[in-house]
Each structure stands twice: as structure tokens, then as C-alpha cells.
Amino acid sequence: MTPLEGPLVSRRSGPLGGRVRSPGDKSISHRALIFGALAEGESEAADLLEGDDVLRTAAAMRALGAEIERTGGLWRITGGAWRAPQRPLYFGNSGTGARLTMGAVAGAGVAAVFDGDASLRSRPMGRVLEPLRLMGVKAEGHKGRLPVSIHSGEKLSAVSCILSKPSAQVKSAILLAALGAEGETRIHEPVLCRDHTERMLAAFGVRLDFESDGAAGRYIAIKGGQRLRPASIAVPGDPSSAAFLVAAAVITPNADIVVENVLINPLRTGFYETLKEMGAALSFENKRIEGGEPVADIRARHSVLHGVETPAERAPSMIDEYPILAAVAAFASGETMMRGLEELRVKESDRVAAMEAGLAACRVDAASGPDWLRVRGSATPPHGGGRIATRHDHRIAMSFLIMGLASEAPIEIDDGSMIATSFPAFGAAIAELGGRIEKP
Ligand code: S3P
């Protein structure tokens, strides 16, 4: 198998086939570690994603006082006694790790400094710090960016707030801080976004109350002072990582693959819904509930695709999948118009700009506006042949490597090392299915 560091090239590959497992869900893995660290006693997590982002969260939880060890495939987390870390907590590339831990640190009433790599230092943290300040948290950022310091010693009070952006990271930070606040915090979520925090807090014995807002959203209420009880979490496969494998099958002639054990929580499946609308031969097989989350094996076959328009309301349920959708759109006849993308510009990179530039380098017609991306594709494979600047973004790197498996000419990326943040076994999974990713 080709190591992922440095430049990589992907080439037209024969029919892809076989069964592979998606790596553990990144969102759920971060939460299992953080909630396990908050719960008094021993929690465990099976099938945790062992990607760089999640390992940084594990290190942060250790620095905050949790004992964490891996025995066999099982992670054991003994938590409940938080203390101020001696050094800044370093979250690398991970917005989820940093933002959720800010909420947890505030709720636990300890002081900590937060930092990350150049990409994370460029991402907005004010969206978390503002609601925390409303609760009484004393926090300083560097113009709303990392490094951020959270101070201890303040008494927090419950708030009523509205999630002005459909961000599960912000919602989760508020919920975790609310555990340490006096009174009942109420969050109005006008547009639903991933609900793993709500589901998993319930598994850890925390009571939350939900009420519809009469439209598409809901109110979430949580009382402060609740303690987490240890829990055992089975982490399902990540639909955002599985998306790359499914996309590879859909664009590659004669492909027929199964990705096993994928989370199909309806707040995460917008990409699959969109692929089906484009004409993709996809089926969710062997549907079941595991660890409180719906899971299935996804079968995907090569398909004749056509362009579609994706509505802005769908964005929260596929926010991490737009880069790979844009790559797939190059293989779909006609225009694919993706709307509601403003949040995509503040991810690990400006993903709208990165995809537009990369597609142009592969001679695909793409255009963008502040919150949209349009790709004109064709039923005949795109030329490819570009050398792609991945901007240290794992999803940009994987999207173009997948595109190269079915383009006319090979596609080269400048660096694949960031892929390890979310999908360390990406190269192995592609090789197992028969795809060709090599050193140039
Ligand atoms: C995540 C929420 C999303 C998503 C990220 C993981 C989470 O971010 O893009 O990869 O685990 O809560 P936002 O909350 O910023 O939308």
C-alpha cells in the first residue's frame, strides 16, 4: 500500500469490487472521548476512529485529567476529575475537538488554553466564545481565532439562545457548557444539524427535552448540574468517509462495491439522497440500530448520472460531502448546482475555492459565488490531468484522488498527509477495492 505522505497520483482503474468497512465516525469518536472523560468512572468505546484529529482529542482529555488506554480494539476512558492542563491543549487540524472541548472546559469550570495548526488558527472561534460569554464564561481569543484562553472561577448561568448557523459544533459546545450552568439552558435550532451530542448525552444518562418549533426546527432544553454516568459506545462507520468509496464506485465503469457498517442518521445522509437523485445505483442493506444510531451496509454500483440542484436546506446534512459531490458532478451530464454553501468557506480550507480551482485544473467547467458552486459535467469522463493544491485539507485531497480513478488522465495531488486526520486507511481501502493510487 502506498503511504499517504507527500504527492500522490491516482489513475484510471479497472472495475472496483469487494466489501470494505468505513472507519469509525469522526463526530461520534470525538464525543465518545469527551463524554467519557466527563463521566465519573470507566466508559468504553469500540471501533473508535484512530485518525489524527481524534487522537488529539484523546491527548487533550488526558491533559484534562482523564485516564485513557487502548486495550485490543477497545478504548477505556476513566473520567470525572477535570483539572487545568499544564500546557496549551493542541488540537491540530480539528475544529470539532477544539470547539467541543471549549464547551466542556467551560462547563467543568477549569481553565485551559486552546491552540491548533495554521488551518485551525484561521477558523472562526467567536461562534463558540460568544454564547459561552453569554453564560458568564471569561474567554479571550486572538481576534476571534486561536489561541483561545478560557478562565475558571466564574459562576455560569443558563441562557436561551438561537443557533444562528446550523453548526453542531456550536450547539454541542453550548450543551456541554450548560451542564455546568445554573438553571435550564434552552437552544432554538431553526435548522436541524447533526444530533450526535444529544443522542450520546442521553446514553451517558443526561436528560434533554425537545420540543418542535412548529416549523422545521426544534427547541432543546438541558438542566445544569447533571452528571454523566459512564457508558459503552459502539462507534458506527463514518458516512463522510464512506462517501469517497461510494463515489469511486458510482463513477468507475463496472464497479460494484459494499461499504459495511455505515451510520445512516438522517441528519448525515444528504449526500446519499443527492446521489440517488442524480441516478446513482445505491442501496442501504441490512439496516439496523447500533449504539442508538441507525447503521447500514451501502451497496454502490457504476451509474449513469445527471446533474441536479441541491437545496440550501440540505446543506447541514451533507456539509462535509460537497467536495466529493463536486468531483462526482464532473461525471454527471448537465449542470449540478449546489446552494447554501457559505459554511464551506470556513472549513479546513475554503472548500468552494479549492474545488473550483482543482476542477478547472482538470478542465471541468466550474463556477462559484459566495454561497454556491456550479459544476458542468458530462456522461463521458472528464479530462483530469490536473495537479491539485489540496490546501492541507483532507477532503480536498481525497476528492481529487477519487476523481482520478475514472478521469481520462491521472490526477496528482500535492500532499496526502492530511488524509490521516479522518481516514488513515484510505489508501488501503482503495487498494482493496482495486483502485490505483501511487507515488508519482
Ligand atoms: C461536526 C460538525 C460540522 C462538520 C464537522 C463535524 C461535528 O461542523 O463540518 O466535520 O462533529 O459536530 P459545523 O458544526 O461547523 O457545521
Side-chain angles (χ1 to χ4, degrees):
M1 190 198 73
T2 315
L4 296 174
E5 287 78 29
L8 293 170
V9 65
S10 65
R11 299 177 193 284
R12 241 187 143 141
S13 300
L16 304 181
R19 298 176 77 90
V20 283
R21 243 178 118 82
S22 186
D25 186 71
K26 184 152 73 73
S27 293
I28 293 180
S29 297
H30 283 294
R31 286 160 174 80
L33 290 169
I34 298 170
F35 299 2
L38 286 171
E40 216 165 295
E42 189 180 284
S43 296
E44 48 184 46
D47 296 325
L48 195 89
L49 169 66
E50 294 175 0
D52 290 348
D53 278 11
V54 175
L55 298 177
R56 301 253 187 234
T57 292
M61 294 306 118
R62 284 192 184 107
L64 285 161
E67 277 173 35
I68 301 182
E69 56 175 42
R70 179 185 191 273
T71 29
L74 204 63
W75 286 70
R76 294 182 199 282
I77 310 130
T78 309
W82 282 42
R83 55 157 194 255
Q86 315 220 301
R87 278 184 287 280
L89 301 172
Y90 182 76
F91 287 92
N93 198 240
S94 177
T96 307
R99 292 185 177 129
L100 267 62
T101 304
M102 283 179 196
V105 156
V110 298
V113 178
F114 295 75
D115 207 352
D117 68 10
S119 153
L120 193 56
R121 276 186 166 205
S122 73
R123 297 177 65 188
M125 296 296 151
R127 52 182 57 200
V128 171
L129 299 182
E130 278 152 30
L132 295 187
R133 285 185 186 122
L134 276 181
M135 298 171 106
V137 176
K138 289 263 181 309
E140 286 136 34
H142 186 78
K143 295 188 183 141
R145 306 273 191 275
L146 296 180
V148 159
S149 303
I150 293 194
H151 302 281
S152 59
E154 310 302 327
K155 213 164 168 282
L156 308 192
S157 40
V159 288
S160 279
C161 59
I162 180 162
L163 265 192
S164 53
K165 291 180 179 47
S167 164
Q169 295 177 0
V170 174
K171 174 174 65 172
S172 303
I174 300 171
L175 288 169
L176 292 171
L179 286 169
E182 204 170 284
E184 184 179 84
T185 291
R186 214 170 138 80
I187 305 174
H188 181 199
E189 187 184 18
V191 180
L192 299 187
C193 54
R194 66 189 72 189
D195 60 356
H196 309 307
T197 293
E198 297 92 305
R199 286 177 187 249
M200 207 191 289
L201 278 178
F204 276 86
V206 172
R207 180 178 167 159
L208 299 122
D209 291 299
F210 303 97
E211 198 188 309
S212 161
D213 69 356
R218 66 178 183 176
Y219 295 95
I220 308 169
I222 182 168
K223 285 203 177 72
Q226 300 189 66
R227 319 280 295 197
L228 278 71
R229 289 197 304 264
S232 192
I233 303 295
V235 181
D238 195 325
S240 302
S241 297
F244 296 104
L245 308 175
V246 165
V250 164
I251 62 172
T252 307
N254 303 317
D256 186 352
I257 72 161
V258 174
V259 188
E260 294 174 343
N261 195 42
V262 184
L263 173 74
I264 52 165
N265 177 321
L267 295 171
R268 296 286 300 278
T269 48
F271 171 72
Y272 298 99
E273 203 181 313
T274 304
L275 276 191
K276 282 187 187 160
E277 286 174 8
M278 295 172 87
L282 281 191
S283 50
F284 287 0
E285 299 174 349
N286 190 16
K287 285 192 201 168
R288 59 220 184 252
I289 299 286
E290 275 183 18
E293 294 272 8
V295 165
D297 302 328
I298 303 183
R299 181 170 180 207
R301 283 168 287 161
H302 177 243
S303 311
V304 177
L305 303 173
H306 55 83
V308 292
E309 178 159 337
T310 64
E313 312 82 79
R314 200 180 292 165
S317 69
M318 56 184 296
I319 192 66
D320 295 333
E321 284 71 80
Y322 285 105
I324 186 60
L325 177 63
V328 170
F331 295 80
S333 55
E335 196 171 287
T336 294
M337 179 68 172
M338 294 160 260
R339 296 192 189 278
L341 305 194
E342 61 274 19
E343 280 294 299
L344 215 58
R345 292 198 179 271
V346 290
K347 294 292 176 190
E348 286 83 330
S349 71
D350 175 344
R351 288 179 171 162
V352 176
M355 286 312 296
E356 187 182 1
L359 287 168
C362 294
R363 300 194 208 166
V364 176
D365 179 0
S368 72
D371 62 351
W372 56 267
L373 177 63
R374 192 205 65 216
V375 179
R376 284 212 181 95
S378 142
T380 52
H383 180 270
R387 185 165 200 275
I388 309 298
T390 57
R391 308 181 185 203
H392 306 292
D393 186 323
H394 54 133
R395 299 203 198 276
I396 301 301
M398 287 187 277
S399 298
F400 282 103
L401 288 175
I402 294 297
M403 189 173 164
L405 298 177
S407 300
E408 288 294 344
I411 295 181
E412 186 176 330
I413 64 164
D414 57 1
D415 178 25
S417 52
M418 298 310 286
I419 293 171
T421 60
S422 65
F423 198 165
F426 175 74
I430 294 295
E432 171 89 30
L433 294 172
R436 292 167 66 203
I437 294 181
E438 298 157 4
K439 288 276 167 207

